[in-house]
Amino acid sequence: MTAALLVIDVQNDFCPGGALAVPGGDEVVPGINELMTAFGDIILTQDWHPAGHSSFASAHPGKGPFETVEMAYGAQVLWPDHCVQGSHGGAFHPGLDTAPARVVIRKGMSPEIDSYSAFFENDRATPTGLDGYLQTRGITELVMVGLATDFCVQFSALDAARLGYKVTVRRDLCRAIDLDGSLAQAEAAMAGAGVLLE
Ligand code: VGL
Ligand code: ZN
């Protein structure tokens, strides 16, 4: 088995002081840097929205952040404006060692559809291309770390398991948003899908 490390959305806006700060989001950075030294294949994801993205509450008059709306592809939580393309908030945390990464997968770039997963947009069908990359590299096993456990990490882990990868989520190197019990729900869903929660 060849394993790759998938580092999910370790960006300024998901760290303390950011627009969609995940509690303790920056705490995972040193441990992720250290874990990178054990992998030959490292992939980073970067949430990368155009201004006015449809996942932003500001694009839905009368709605506020953390409310849910029905989109063409299903329920969508609305977020504060975050990770806008080219912004400081969209940049990787300055302490993250980005040099060893072979690939950066940017996601959430389509104006009308959000993308939590590193593999598919939120319609669970439009691919990012990551599966093709991993297949051509002969990678069958993925270790996942980053932000946020209950959204982008969960969606990535579930998609990867569905695609047939062996998936481990290092919970100590993830942090959650935890909206209304979403962390417990995410952990149950991942465990149910055969994801190893370490
Ligand atoms: C994320 C909400 C919106 C994440 C991204 O990285 O978990 N969450 N966009
Ligand atoms: Zn986003």
Side-chain angles (χ1 to χ4, degrees), residues 9 14 20 47-49 53 55-56 76 79-80 82-83 107-108 114-116 152:
D9 296 2
F14 297 123
L20 180 40
D47 211 37
W48 198 245
H49 300 304
H53 191 254
S55 74
F56 297 170
Q76 169 72 47
W79 304 105
H82 66 279
C83 296
K107 59 188 184 60
D114 205 2
S115 185
Y116 295 148
C152 291

Side-chain angles (χ1 to χ4, degrees), residues 175-198:
R175 292 293 183 276
I177 296 173
D178 205 11
L179 277 185
D180 302 323
S182 58
L183 175 58
Q185 220 170 46
E187 290 190 339
M190 290 190 282
V195 173
L196 247 82
L197 298 173
E198 262 186 9

Side-chain angles (χ1 to χ4, degrees), residues 117-190:
S117 166
F119 291 92
F120 297 101
E121 298 191 8
N122 282 8
D123 59 3
R124 313 309 287 268
T126 308
T128 62
L130 179 57
D131 186 35
Y133 171 79
L134 296 173
Q135 282 193 40
T136 54
R137 295 279 301 162
I139 291 158
T140 53
E141 180 173 353
L142 291 166
V143 176
M144 298 192 186
V145 296
L147 310 171
T149 323
D150 40 349
F151 288 92
C152 291
V153 175
Q154 177 196 198
F155 275 59
S156 298
L158 293 178
D159 281 343
R162 178 162 59 94
L163 291 167
Y165 295 92
K166 178 182 178 226
V167 184
T168 301
V169 170
R170 281 279 303 264
R171 277 181 292 188
D172 58 323
L173 296 178
C174 296
R175 292 293 183 276
I177 296 173
D178 205 11
L179 277 185
D180 302 323
S182 58
L183 175 58
Q185 220 170 46
E187 290 190 339
M190 290 190 282

Side-chain angles (χ1 to χ4, degrees), residues 5 7 10 28-37 96 145-146 173:
L5 179 64
V7 180
V10 182
V28 300
V29 171
I32 291 175
N33 288 342
E34 195 184 318
L35 187 59
M36 283 183 187
T37 63
L96 184 73
V145 296
L173 296 178

